[in-house]
PDB file of all heavy atoms in Angstrom:
ATOM      1  N   ALA A  45       4.966 271.893 220.657  1.00  0.00           N
ATOM      2  CA  ALA A  45       4.694 271.302 221.973  1.00  0.00           C
ATOM      3  C   ALA A  45       3.852 270.037 221.841  1.00  0.00           C
ATOM      4  O   ALA A  45       4.135 269.007 222.480  1.00  0.00           O
ATOM      5  CB  ALA A  45       3.988 272.319 222.859  1.00  0.00           C
ATOM      6  N   VAL A  46       2.812 270.093 221.006  1.00  0.00           N
ATOM      7  CA  VAL A  46       1.967 268.921 220.814  1.00  0.00           C
ATOM      8  C   VAL A  46       2.760 267.794 220.160  1.00  0.00           C
ATOM      9  O   VAL A  46       2.626 266.618 220.529  1.00  0.00           O
ATOM     10  CB  VAL A  46       0.733 269.297 219.966  1.00  0.00           C
ATOM     11  CG1 VAL A  46      -0.019 268.039 219.517  1.00  0.00           C
ATOM     12  CG2 VAL A  46      -0.193 270.210 220.742  1.00  0.00           C
ATOM     13  N   THR A  47       3.626 268.152 219.203  1.00  0.00           N
ATOM     14  CA  THR A  47       4.438 267.128 218.526  1.00  0.00           C
ATOM     15  C   THR A  47       5.381 266.436 219.502  1.00  0.00           C
ATOM     16  O   THR A  47       5.468 265.199 219.534  1.00  0.00           O
ATOM     17  CB  THR A  47       5.243 267.769 217.385  1.00  0.00           C
ATOM     18  OG1 THR A  47       4.346 268.366 216.445  1.00  0.00           O
ATOM     19  CG2 THR A  47       6.091 266.726 216.677  1.00  0.00           C
ATOM     20  N   LEU A  48       6.103 267.233 220.290  1.00  0.00           N
ATOM     21  CA  LEU A  48       7.031 266.634 221.258  1.00  0.00           C
ATOM     22  C   LEU A  48       6.286 265.798 222.282  1.00  0.00           C
ATOM     23  O   LEU A  48       6.738 264.710 222.676  1.00  0.00           O
ATOM     24  CB  LEU A  48       7.834 267.736 221.949  1.00  0.00           C
ATOM     25  CG  LEU A  48       8.814 268.514 221.048  1.00  0.00           C
ATOM     26  CD1 LEU A  48       9.506 269.611 221.843  1.00  0.00           C
ATOM     27  CD2 LEU A  48       9.846 267.581 220.446  1.00  0.00           C
ATOM     28  N   GLY A  49       5.134 266.304 222.736  1.00  0.00           N
ATOM     29  CA  GLY A  49       4.340 265.526 223.678  1.00  0.00           C
ATOM     30  C   GLY A  49       3.876 264.212 223.081  1.00  0.00           C
ATOM     31  O   GLY A  49       3.905 263.161 223.735  1.00  0.00           O
ATOM     32  N   GLY A  50       3.457 264.259 221.816  1.00  0.00           N
ATOM     33  CA  GLY A  50       3.035 263.028 221.156  1.00  0.00           C
ATOM     34  C   GLY A  50       4.162 262.040 220.979  1.00  0.00           C
ATOM     35  O   GLY A  50       3.985 260.827 221.131  1.00  0.00           O
ATOM     36  N   ILE A  51       5.362 262.563 220.653  1.00  0.00           N
ATOM     37  CA  ILE A  51       6.519 261.677 220.489  1.00  0.00           C
ATOM     38  C   ILE A  51       6.857 260.981 221.803  1.00  0.00           C
ATOM     39  O   ILE A  51       7.111 259.769 221.841  1.00  0.00           O
ATOM     40  CB  ILE A  51       7.727 262.481 219.968  1.00  0.00           C
ATOM     41  CG1 ILE A  51       7.476 262.943 218.533  1.00  0.00           C
ATOM     42  CG2 ILE A  51       9.003 261.647 220.035  1.00  0.00           C
ATOM     43  CD1 ILE A  51       8.553 263.869 218.000  1.00  0.00           C
ATOM     44  N   VAL A  52       6.875 261.744 222.901  1.00  0.00           N
ATOM     45  CA  VAL A  52       7.195 261.149 224.206  1.00  0.00           C
ATOM     46  C   VAL A  52       6.163 260.099 224.583  1.00  0.00           C
ATOM     47  O   VAL A  52       6.499 258.981 224.996  1.00  0.00           O
ATOM     48  CB  VAL A  52       7.280 262.251 225.282  1.00  0.00           C
ATOM     49  CG1 VAL A  52       7.416 261.622 226.670  1.00  0.00           C
ATOM     50  CG2 VAL A  52       8.455 263.177 225.015  1.00  0.00           C
ATOM     51  N   VAL A  53       4.873 260.444 224.442  1.00  0.00           N
ATOM     52  CA  VAL A  53       3.808 259.493 224.783  1.00  0.00           C
ATOM     53  C   VAL A  53       3.892 258.255 223.900  1.00  0.00           C
ATOM     54  O   VAL A  53       3.799 257.115 224.376  1.00  0.00           O
ATOM     55  CB  VAL A  53       2.434 260.168 224.653  1.00  0.00           C
ATOM     56  CG1 VAL A  53       1.313 259.138 224.803  1.00  0.00           C
ATOM     57  CG2 VAL A  53       2.277 261.269 225.690  1.00  0.00           C
ATOM     58  N   GLY A  54       4.085 258.470 222.605  1.00  0.00           N
ATOM     59  CA  GLY A  54       4.165 257.339 221.692  1.00  0.00           C
ATOM     60  C   GLY A  54       5.367 256.457 221.946  1.00  0.00           C
ATOM     61  O   GLY A  54       5.280 255.229 221.843  1.00  0.00           O
ATOM     62  N   THR A  55       6.503 257.082 222.289  1.00  0.00           N
ATOM     63  CA  THR A  55       7.707 256.291 222.560  1.00  0.00           C
ATOM     64  C   THR A  55       7.524 255.414 223.784  1.00  0.00           C
ATOM     65  O   THR A  55       7.869 254.216 223.778  1.00  0.00           O
ATOM     66  CB  THR A  55       8.920 257.221 222.751  1.00  0.00           C
ATOM     67  OG1 THR A  55       9.116 257.997 221.575  1.00  0.00           O
ATOM     68  CG2 THR A  55      10.173 256.414 223.039  1.00  0.00           C
ATOM     69  N   TYR A  56       6.990 255.988 224.859  1.00  0.00           N
ATOM     70  CA  TYR A  56       6.773 255.188 226.063  1.00  0.00           C
ATOM     71  C   TYR A  56       5.686 254.137 225.862  1.00  0.00           C
ATOM     72  O   TYR A  56       5.759 253.035 226.415  1.00  0.00           O
ATOM     73  CB  TYR A  56       6.399 256.095 227.236  1.00  0.00           C
ATOM     74  CG  TYR A  56       7.583 256.757 227.896  1.00  0.00           C
ATOM     75  CD1 TYR A  56       7.781 258.130 227.808  1.00  0.00           C
ATOM     76  CD2 TYR A  56       8.523 256.004 228.586  1.00  0.00           C
ATOM     77  CE1 TYR A  56       8.878 258.744 228.407  1.00  0.00           C
ATOM     78  CE2 TYR A  56       9.620 256.597 229.194  1.00  0.00           C
ATOM     79  CZ  TYR A  56       9.794 257.973 229.092  1.00  0.00           C
ATOM     80  OH  TYR A  56      10.883 258.565 229.681  1.00  0.00           O
ATOM     81  N   ALA A  57       4.662 254.474 225.049  1.00  0.00           N
ATOM     82  CA  ALA A  57       3.545 253.542 224.867  1.00  0.00           C
ATOM     83  C   ALA A  57       3.886 252.406 223.913  1.00  0.00           C
ATOM     84  O   ALA A  57       3.512 251.246 224.145  1.00  0.00           O
ATOM     85  CB  ALA A  57       2.320 254.298 224.358  1.00  0.00           C
ATOM     86  N   GLY A  58       4.605 252.712 222.829  1.00  0.00           N
ATOM     87  CA  GLY A  58       4.847 251.688 221.824  1.00  0.00           C
ATOM     88  C   GLY A  58       6.290 251.360 221.561  1.00  0.00           C
ATOM     89  O   GLY A  58       6.577 250.476 220.749  1.00  0.00           O
ATOM     90  N   GLY A  59       7.234 252.040 222.242  1.00  0.00           N
ATOM     91  CA  GLY A  59       8.646 251.824 221.986  1.00  0.00           C
ATOM     92  C   GLY A  59       9.207 250.623 222.692  1.00  0.00           C
ATOM     93  O   GLY A  59      10.200 250.732 223.442  1.00  0.00           O
ATOM     94  N   HIS A  60       8.630 249.453 222.468  1.00  0.00           N
ATOM     95  CA  HIS A  60       9.138 248.222 223.081  1.00  0.00           C
ATOM     96  C   HIS A  60       8.713 247.034 222.232  1.00  0.00           C
ATOM     97  O   HIS A  60       7.615 247.017 221.657  1.00  0.00           O
ATOM     98  CB  HIS A  60       8.623 248.072 224.513  1.00  0.00           C
ATOM     99  CG  HIS A  60       7.135 248.142 224.638  1.00  0.00           C
ATOM    100  ND1 HIS A  60       6.312 247.062 224.441  1.00  0.00           N
ATOM    101  CD2 HIS A  60       6.322 249.192 224.909  1.00  0.00           C
ATOM    102  CE1 HIS A  60       5.047 247.423 224.606  1.00  0.00           C
ATOM    103  NE2 HIS A  60       5.026 248.719 224.886  1.00  0.00           N
ATOM    104  N   LEU A  74      12.847 251.569 224.094  1.00  0.00           N
ATOM    105  CA  LEU A  74      13.443 252.863 223.801  1.00  0.00           C
ATOM    106  C   LEU A  74      12.777 253.933 224.652  1.00  0.00           C
ATOM    107  O   LEU A  74      11.562 253.888 224.870  1.00  0.00           O
ATOM    108  CB  LEU A  74      13.273 253.229 222.320  1.00  0.00           C
ATOM    109  CG  LEU A  74      14.346 252.773 221.340  1.00  0.00           C
ATOM    110  CD1 LEU A  74      13.992 253.233 219.938  1.00  0.00           C
ATOM    111  CD2 LEU A  74      15.720 253.289 221.723  1.00  0.00           C
ATOM    112  N   SER A  75      13.562 254.879 225.132  1.00  0.00           N
ATOM    113  CA  SER A  75      13.019 255.985 225.909  1.00  0.00           C
ATOM    114  C   SER A  75      13.795 257.256 225.576  1.00  0.00           C
ATOM    115  O   SER A  75      14.966 257.189 225.192  1.00  0.00           O
ATOM    116  CB  SER A  75      13.115 255.697 227.416  1.00  0.00           C
ATOM    117  OG  SER A  75      14.450 255.452 227.795  1.00  0.00           O
ATOM    118  N   PRO A  76      13.136 258.420 225.688  1.00  0.00           N
ATOM    119  CA  PRO A  76      13.841 259.685 225.407  1.00  0.00           C
ATOM    120  C   PRO A  76      15.004 259.897 226.366  1.00  0.00           C
ATOM    121  O   PRO A  76      14.938 259.544 227.542  1.00  0.00           O
ATOM    122  CB  PRO A  76      12.755 260.747 225.605  1.00  0.00           C
ATOM    123  CG  PRO A  76      11.457 260.018 225.464  1.00  0.00           C
ATOM    124  CD  PRO A  76      11.710 258.645 225.998  1.00  0.00           C
ATOM    125  N   ARG A 146       8.728 250.280 215.028  1.00  0.00           N
ATOM    126  CA  ARG A 146       7.551 250.332 215.900  1.00  0.00           C
ATOM    127  C   ARG A 146       7.503 251.669 216.652  1.00  0.00           C
ATOM    128  O   ARG A 146       6.439 252.269 216.806  1.00  0.00           O
ATOM    129  CB  ARG A 146       7.590 249.164 216.886  1.00  0.00           C
ATOM    130  CG  ARG A 146       6.399 249.120 217.846  1.00  0.00           C
ATOM    131  CD  ARG A 146       6.589 248.010 218.863  1.00  0.00           C
ATOM    132  NE  ARG A 146       5.537 248.037 219.854  1.00  0.00           N
ATOM    133  CZ  ARG A 146       4.460 247.257 219.842  1.00  0.00           C
ATOM    134  NH1 ARG A 146       4.289 246.390 218.847  1.00  0.00           N
ATOM    135  NH2 ARG A 146       3.556 247.334 220.800  1.00  0.00           N
ATOM    136  N   THR A 147       8.675 252.121 217.126  1.00  0.00           N
ATOM    137  CA  THR A 147       8.723 253.396 217.841  1.00  0.00           C
ATOM    138  C   THR A 147       8.332 254.550 216.924  1.00  0.00           C
ATOM    139  O   THR A 147       7.588 255.458 217.315  1.00  0.00           O
ATOM    140  CB  THR A 147      10.129 253.630 218.413  1.00  0.00           C
ATOM    141  OG1 THR A 147      10.474 252.555 219.285  1.00  0.00           O
ATOM    142  CG2 THR A 147      10.189 254.939 219.192  1.00  0.00           C
ATOM    143  N   LEU A 148       8.833 254.516 215.691  1.00  0.00           N
ATOM    144  CA  LEU A 148       8.508 255.570 214.731  1.00  0.00           C
ATOM    145  C   LEU A 148       7.006 255.614 214.466  1.00  0.00           C
ATOM    146  O   LEU A 148       6.375 256.687 214.501  1.00  0.00           O
ATOM    147  CB  LEU A 148       9.274 255.327 213.437  1.00  0.00           C
ATOM    148  CG  LEU A 148       9.103 256.367 212.324  1.00  0.00           C
ATOM    149  CD1 LEU A 148       9.632 257.714 212.780  1.00  0.00           C
ATOM    150  CD2 LEU A 148       9.823 255.907 211.054  1.00  0.00           C
ATOM    151  N   ALA A 149       6.393 254.457 214.207  1.00  0.00           N
ATOM    152  CA  ALA A 149       4.960 254.413 213.939  1.00  0.00           C
ATOM    153  C   ALA A 149       4.150 254.839 215.152  1.00  0.00           C
ATOM    154  O   ALA A 149       3.165 255.590 215.045  1.00  0.00           O
ATOM    155  CB  ALA A 149       4.561 253.001 213.505  1.00  0.00           C
ATOM    156  N   SER A 150       4.564 254.402 216.323  1.00  0.00           N
ATOM    157  CA  SER A 150       3.825 254.737 217.541  1.00  0.00           C
ATOM    158  C   SER A 150       3.898 256.229 217.845  1.00  0.00           C
ATOM    159  O   SER A 150       2.908 256.850 218.250  1.00  0.00           O
ATOM    160  CB  SER A 150       4.381 253.934 218.719  1.00  0.00           C
ATOM    161  OG  SER A 150       3.719 254.257 219.914  1.00  0.00           O
ATOM    162  N   ALA A 151       5.083 256.834 217.624  1.00  0.00           N
ATOM    163  CA  ALA A 151       5.236 258.265 217.897  1.00  0.00           C
ATOM    164  C   ALA A 151       4.381 259.103 216.950  1.00  0.00           C
ATOM    165  O   ALA A 151       3.733 260.074 217.361  1.00  0.00           O
ATOM    166  CB  ALA A 151       6.710 258.656 217.771  1.00  0.00           C
ATOM    167  N   VAL A 152       4.378 258.745 215.671  1.00  0.00           N
ATOM    168  CA  VAL A 152       3.573 259.492 214.705  1.00  0.00           C
ATOM    169  C   VAL A 152       2.086 259.335 215.002  1.00  0.00           C
ATOM    170  O   VAL A 152       1.319 260.307 214.967  1.00  0.00           O
ATOM    171  CB  VAL A 152       3.903 259.027 213.271  1.00  0.00           C
ATOM    172  CG1 VAL A 152       2.948 259.670 212.269  1.00  0.00           C
ATOM    173  CG2 VAL A 152       5.344 259.369 212.921  1.00  0.00           C
ATOM    174  N   LEU A 153       1.655 258.111 215.289  1.00  0.00           N
ATOM    175  CA  LEU A 153       0.240 257.876 215.578  1.00  0.00           C
ATOM    176  C   LEU A 153      -0.216 258.629 216.822  1.00  0.00           C
ATOM    177  O   LEU A 153      -1.283 259.273 216.837  1.00  0.00           O
ATOM    178  CB  LEU A 153      -0.008 256.373 215.753  1.00  0.00           C
ATOM    179  CG  LEU A 153      -1.455 255.956 216.088  1.00  0.00           C
ATOM    180  CD1 LEU A 153      -2.411 256.403 214.988  1.00  0.00           C
ATOM    181  CD2 LEU A 153      -1.530 254.449 216.307  1.00  0.00           C
ATOM    182  N   ALA A 154       0.590 258.583 217.879  1.00  0.00           N
ATOM    183  CA  ALA A 154       0.223 259.294 219.102  1.00  0.00           C
ATOM    184  C   ALA A 154       0.161 260.801 218.868  1.00  0.00           C
ATOM    185  O   ALA A 154      -0.718 261.491 219.407  1.00  0.00           O
ATOM    186  CB  ALA A 154       1.228 258.971 220.208  1.00  0.00           C
ATOM    187  N   THR A 155       1.082 261.306 218.049  1.00  0.00           N
ATOM    188  CA  THR A 155       1.077 262.745 217.749  1.00  0.00           C
ATOM    189  C   THR A 155      -0.168 263.134 216.957  1.00  0.00           C
ATOM    190  O   THR A 155      -0.791 264.175 217.223  1.00  0.00           O
ATOM    191  CB  THR A 155       2.342 263.122 216.965  1.00  0.00           C
ATOM    192  OG1 THR A 155       3.499 262.767 217.738  1.00  0.00           O
ATOM    193  CG2 THR A 155       2.374 264.610 216.682  1.00  0.00           C
ATOM    194  N   LEU A 156      -0.551 262.324 215.969  1.00  0.00           N
ATOM    195  CA  LEU A 156      -1.754 262.615 215.190  1.00  0.00           C
ATOM    196  C   LEU A 156      -3.007 262.640 216.062  1.00  0.00           C
ATOM    197  O   LEU A 156      -3.858 263.528 215.936  1.00  0.00           O
ATOM    198  CB  LEU A 156      -1.909 261.581 214.072  1.00  0.00           C
ATOM    199  CG  LEU A 156      -0.895 261.660 212.924  1.00  0.00           C
ATOM    200  CD1 LEU A 156      -1.047 260.469 211.985  1.00  0.00           C
ATOM    201  CD2 LEU A 156      -1.047 262.965 212.160  1.00  0.00           C
ATOM    202  N   ILE A 157      -3.119 261.668 216.951  1.00  0.00           N
ATOM    203  CA  ILE A 157      -4.295 261.614 217.835  1.00  0.00           C
ATOM    204  C   ILE A 157      -4.316 262.825 218.760  1.00  0.00           C
ATOM    205  O   ILE A 157      -5.349 263.488 218.937  1.00  0.00           O
ATOM    206  CB  ILE A 157      -4.280 260.300 218.647  1.00  0.00           C
ATOM    207  CG1 ILE A 157      -4.463 259.101 217.714  1.00  0.00           C
ATOM    208  CG2 ILE A 157      -5.366 260.323 219.716  1.00  0.00           C
ATOM    209  CD1 ILE A 157      -4.326 257.756 218.410  1.00  0.00           C
ATOM    210  N   LEU A 158      -3.151 263.155 219.350  1.00  0.00           N
ATOM    211  CA  LEU A 158      -3.092 264.288 220.270  1.00  0.00           C
ATOM    212  C   LEU A 158      -3.364 265.604 219.537  1.00  0.00           C
ATOM    213  O   LEU A 158      -4.097 266.478 220.039  1.00  0.00           O
ATOM    214  CB  LEU A 158      -1.710 264.333 220.934  1.00  0.00           C
ATOM    215  CG  LEU A 158      -1.499 265.412 222.007  1.00  0.00           C
ATOM    216  CD1 LEU A 158      -2.493 265.239 223.139  1.00  0.00           C
ATOM    217  CD2 LEU A 158      -0.066 265.356 222.534  1.00  0.00           C
ATOM    218  N   ALA A 159      -2.811 265.761 218.336  1.00  0.00           N
ATOM    219  CA  ALA A 159      -3.028 266.994 217.573  1.00  0.00           C
ATOM    220  C   ALA A 159      -4.492 267.135 217.159  1.00  0.00           C
ATOM    221  O   ALA A 159      -5.057 268.239 217.170  1.00  0.00           O
ATOM    222  CB  ALA A 159      -2.123 267.009 216.345  1.00  0.00           C
ATOM    223  N   LEU A 161      -7.072 266.025 218.764  1.00  0.00           N
ATOM    224  CA  LEU A 161      -7.854 266.393 219.949  1.00  0.00           C
ATOM    225  C   LEU A 161      -7.627 267.851 220.339  1.00  0.00           C
ATOM    226  O   LEU A 161      -8.547 268.524 220.804  1.00  0.00           O
ATOM    227  CB  LEU A 161      -7.480 265.474 221.114  1.00  0.00           C
ATOM    228  CG  LEU A 161      -7.867 263.994 220.963  1.00  0.00           C
ATOM    229  CD1 LEU A 161      -7.320 263.185 222.132  1.00  0.00           C
ATOM    230  CD2 LEU A 161      -9.390 263.846 220.889  1.00  0.00           C
ATOM    231  N   ALA A 176       6.446 265.055 213.668  1.00  0.00           N
ATOM    232  CA  ALA A 176       6.767 263.891 214.497  1.00  0.00           C
ATOM    233  C   ALA A 176       7.578 262.872 213.712  1.00  0.00           C
ATOM    234  O   ALA A 176       8.527 262.267 214.237  1.00  0.00           O
ATOM    235  CB  ALA A 176       5.483 263.254 215.027  1.00  0.00           C
ATOM    236  N   THR A 180      11.361 262.104 215.027  1.00  0.00           N
ATOM    237  CA  THR A 180      11.621 260.742 215.513  1.00  0.00           C
ATOM    238  C   THR A 180      12.640 260.036 214.620  1.00  0.00           C
ATOM    239  O   THR A 180      13.575 259.396 215.109  1.00  0.00           O
ATOM    240  CB  THR A 180      10.320 259.938 215.564  1.00  0.00           C
ATOM    241  OG1 THR A 180       9.346 260.637 216.338  1.00  0.00           O
ATOM    242  CG2 THR A 180      10.560 258.573 216.191  1.00  0.00           C
TER     243      THR A 180
END
Side-chain angles (χ1 to χ4, degrees):
V46 169
T47 300
L48 293 178
I51 292 174
V52 172
V53 172
T55 301
Y56 279 112
H60 54 84
L74 271 180
S75 58
R146 180 185 174 99
T147 302
L148 182 63
S150 178
V152 173
L153 179 60
T155 302
L156 290 172
I157 294 174
L158 184 59
L161 293 175
T180 306

